[in-house]
């Protein structure tokens, strides 16, 4: 049996979470053995670029920043790409791995880190299994999606949240004919106040995107989606971006505490002190945080902890840039359940919205157009997440 | 002077150009940018930049 040294760190996942952690850990500890096991190809790439790469003419290959071989060298780590973890055996401190040839092997760990990411939420409606509905959540998906699109194709996008809006803008910019369906009354419905959401809808509309807001698809057939108002949309390709579900199966089968994500404490430890979780699969004391900035903070804190200096996670407010060139936007939403009102400043495209509590404290913000450059100074005034 | 690239989004800081709109004049080496400066594209910190190779 293949065994990593007893104190070795085994990281499951080579996304921004797994690779950033490995990089930060290597900075602090030149000796510790690091093994990264990943179901995908192990290339380093920027996932946020997937929803902004089409209009720049970038294919999957040009999105690859470093090959797995290069990553292994830079990180002085062993990288097992296209190796899928099938189970965690906590009693033996091993993981069961399915190799590319289908055989199984076991790998021992001293400390194990789950950086498994999240799966796209499936869109389920009558006929959806025949609709050819795709999702783009990694480099392989992106390559397949790009290959499926012929120039000028009609694209139906389901979901006008952060990622759906970015894809819509990107695809419209690349010359596709884009229609978007979402039951919310305006794009980025959960993140933006109405006035800014409507401004976003207008800007994306001017970019050629047709919106079907307040609507959902009730019936799919190949190339045709029927909406709940009786209208129908004909499409060549359909893409769904309706949210993500943390990958928790391995953790729950191993008996770790799982709620919406894999539960971790303030030091990112799961209910087993030898196992940690971070990134999109983890549920921190501040909730699910499926964004880059919290992930970078998590990687730094966890690397220090793994290097022997227990470091609790601290999170300042984390503004997110919405990559919609039609209308640049930055959002820093208030914590879920926060009480308050949006207070607006400015007009037209260039606006600042502050979410203010009844006591007059700013708890969140959204900035659009020319005012996005107030991001840094405003973020400092927001309450910490953790 | 060396260029620096954001490990997350691939934004490249070119000292020859600087970031005049962020108050960083052309000719400013990466090392001289304030530590609280953030990637203008994705918001990660200055320490998440690496020297651009090649
Ligand atoms: C299109 C798009 C645009 C985005 N834009 C932004 C943005 O602008 N700003 C922002 O802050 N965030 C953005 N996000 C979110 C951000 O990209 C994610 O939060 C982040 O990349 C998650 O990283 P991760 O390492 O947790 O997961 P992932 O990158 O998904 O990595 C998961 C890894 O786990 C591996 N894995 C899974 N299961 C197994 C298994 N059983 N065995 C072995 N390996 C396994 C996978 O192969 C993969 O390597 C965007 C997301 C998407 C999809």
């Amino acid at each position: 049996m293949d065994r990593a040294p007893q104190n070795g760190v085994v990281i499951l996942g080579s996304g921004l979470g797994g690779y950033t952690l490995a990089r930060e850990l290597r900075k602090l500890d030149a000796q510790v053995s690091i093994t990264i096991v990943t179901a995908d190809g192990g290339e380093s790439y920027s996932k946020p670029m997937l929803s902004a790469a089409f209009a720049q003419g970038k294919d999957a290959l040009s999105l690859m920043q470093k090959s797995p071989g290069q990553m292994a060298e830079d990180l002085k780590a062993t990288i097992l790409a296209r190796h899928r973890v099938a189970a965690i055996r906590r009693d033996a401190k091993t993981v069961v791995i399915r190799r590319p040839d289908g055989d199984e092997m076991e790998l021992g760990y001293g400390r194990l880190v789950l950086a498994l990411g999240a799966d796209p939420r499936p869109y389920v409606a009558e006929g959806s299994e025949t609709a050819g509905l795709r999702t783009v959540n990694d480099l392989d998906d992106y390559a397949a999606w790009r290959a499926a699109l012929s120039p000028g194709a009609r694209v139906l996008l389901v979901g006008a949240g952060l990622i759906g809006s970015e894809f819509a803008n990107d695809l419209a910019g690349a010359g596709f004919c884009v229609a978007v369906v979402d039951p919310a009354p305006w794009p980025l419905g959960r993140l933006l106040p109405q006035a800014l959401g409507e401004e976003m809808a207008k800007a994306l509309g001017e970019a050629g995107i047709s919106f079907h807001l307040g609507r959902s698809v009730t019936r799919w057939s190949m190339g045709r989606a029927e909406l709940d108002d009786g209208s129908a949309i004909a499409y060549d390709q359909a893409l769904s971006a309706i949210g993500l579900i943390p990958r928790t199966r391995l953790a729950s089968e191993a008996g770790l505490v799982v709620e919406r994500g894999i539960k971790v404490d303030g030091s990112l430890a799961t209910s087993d002190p030898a196992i940690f979780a971070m990134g999109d699969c983890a549920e921190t004391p501040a909730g699910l945080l499926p964004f880059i900035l919290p992930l970078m903070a998590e990687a730094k804190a966890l690397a220090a902890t793994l290097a022997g200096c227990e470091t609790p996670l601290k999170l300042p407010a984390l503004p997110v840039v919405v990559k919609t060139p039609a209308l640049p936007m930055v959002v820093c939403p208030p914590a879920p359940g926060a009480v308050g009102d949006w207070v607006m400043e400015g007009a037209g495209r260039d606006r600042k919205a502050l979410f203010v509590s009844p006591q007059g404290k700013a708890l969140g913000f959204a900035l659009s157009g020319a005012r996005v450059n107030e991001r840094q100074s405003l973020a400092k005034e927001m309450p910490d997440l953790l | 002077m060396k260029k620096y690239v954001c490990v997350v989004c691939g934004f490249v800081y070119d000292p020859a150009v600087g970031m005049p709109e962020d108050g960083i004049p052309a000719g400013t080496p990466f090392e001289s940018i304030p530590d609280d400066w953030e990637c203008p594209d994705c918001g990660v910190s200055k320490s998440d930049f690496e020297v651009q190779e090649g």
Side-chain angles (χ1 to χ4, degrees):
Chain A
M1 183 172 69
D2 202 348
R3 270 195 174 275
Q6 280 306 301
N7 68 340
V9 174
V10 172
I11 301 171
L12 308 187
S14 65
L16 278 165
Y19 272 158
T20 306
L21 172 68
R23 191 163 53 92
E24 295 297 327
L25 179 56
R26 191 47 89 213
K27 281 187 204 162
L28 300 175
D29 187 335
Q31 302 305 325
V32 65
S33 115
I34 302 178
T35 306
I36 299 169
V37 187
T38 181
D40 63 23
E43 305 88 357
S44 83
Y45 72 102
S46 162
K47 185 182 283 215
M49 281 302 292
L50 296 178
S51 51
F54 230 114
Q56 299 174 22
K58 289 195 173 151
D59 61 13
L61 192 65
S62 46
L63 286 178
M64 180 180 85
Q65 291 163 336
K66 285 181 184 166
S67 69
Q70 185 68 51
M71 288 305 288
E73 200 174 299
D74 288 2
L75 298 168
K76 296 185 194 62
T78 304
I79 297 175
L80 303 175
R82 305 270 176 217
H83 281 60
R84 178 170 288 278
V85 175
I88 301 167
R89 300 221 165 114
R90 287 164 57 202
D91 44 358
K93 281 198 158 186
T94 62
V95 289
V96 179
I97 299 173
R98 193 152 306 134
R99 296 201 312 222
D101 61 15
D103 282 356
E104 282 195 355
M105 62 185 251
E106 266 183 72
L107 176 72
Y109 63 82
R111 274 87 43 88
L112 181 67
V113 180
L114 312 178
L116 295 163
D119 284 314
R121 185 181 296 281
Y123 189 98
V124 185
E126 200 187 325
S128 52
E129 64 290 349
T130 61
L133 204 56
R134 290 170 186 268
T135 54
V136 173
N137 188 38
D138 59 34
L139 213 50
D140 291 345
D141 292 344
Y142 181 73
W145 168 243
R146 249 188 102 87
L149 277 175
S150 35
R154 295 164 303 173
V155 177
L156 174 57
L157 244 159
V158 186
L162 180 78
I163 291 172
S165 298
E166 293 185 353
F167 273 122
N169 200 161
D170 191 45
L171 291 164
F176 296 99
C177 172
V178 182
V180 181
V181 180
D182 194 304
W186 57 83
L188 294 114
R190 271 175 304 163
L191 300 173
L192 290 182
Q194 178 167 4
L196 277 182
E198 284 170 355
E199 210 57 57
M200 178 66 96
K202 197 169 133 207
L204 292 176
E206 284 163 10
I209 296 155
S210 67
F211 277 98
H212 303 263
L213 294 166
R215 298 269 77 93
S216 42
V217 179
T218 48
R219 230 179 113 207
W220 291 94
S221 49
M222 196 63 191
R224 196 178 132 90
E226 284 171 31
L227 307 189
D228 53 2
D229 61 352
S231 64
I233 302 172
Y235 64 88
D236 301 307
Q237 293 292 336
L239 184 67
S240 156
I242 55 168
L244 295 167
I245 304 173
R247 293 189 176 121
T248 57
R249 191 182 56 82
L250 280 177
S252 57
E253 285 176 3
L256 300 175
V257 175
V258 168
E259 281 171 24
R260 292 173 64 213
I262 303 166
K263 272 281 194 184
V264 293
D265 65 15
S267 297
L268 297 161
T270 66
S271 51
D272 177 334
I275 306 182
F276 300 81
M278 62 170 301
D280 284 7
C281 67
E283 182 175 350
T284 73
L288 299 174
L289 302 164
F291 298 106
I292 298 299
L293 290 180
L295 180 153
M296 303 302 266
E298 287 171 14
K300 282 170 196 169
L302 182 53
T305 296
L306 294 174
C309 170
E310 174 146 354
T311 304
L313 176 64
K314 280 213 187 65
L315 291 175
L318 298 157
V320 178
V321 176
V322 189
K323 300 183 296 297
T324 43
L327 180 61
M329 187 82 77
V330 177
V331 293
C332 186
V339 178
D341 288 302
W342 285 102
V343 179
M344 308 289 300
E345 233 179 68
R349 294 166 52 90
D350 307 325
R351 296 206 208 192
K352 166 176 164 181
L354 268 187
F355 189 84
V356 184
S357 75
Q359 291 76 34
K361 191 163 168 33
L363 301 176
F365 65 83
L367 301 167
S368 68
R371 301 201 65 168
V372 295
N373 58 13
E374 291 169 47
R375 171 185 79 192
Q376 281 206 37
S377 52
L378 257 184
K380 294 198 180 96
E381 294 170 23
M382 297 297 130
D384 291 343
L385 286 177
L386 209 64
Chain B
M1 274 183 287
K2 285 188 191 124
K3 292 183 189 174
Y4 278 73
V5 56
C6 170
V7 297
V8 172
C9 70
F11 171 85
V12 176
Y13 176 77
D14 180 353
V17 182
M19 297 253 338
E21 61 282 19
D22 266 19
I24 302 169
T28 309
F30 188 74
E31 297 74 23
S32 309
I33 298 174
D35 284 341
D36 65 356
W37 180 80
E38 294 168 352
C39 174
D41 279 7
C42 72
V44 302
S45 61
K46 186 185 165 190
S47 60
D48 295 314
F49 278 68
E50 284 182 348
V51 177
Q52 190 174 45
E53 285 152 27

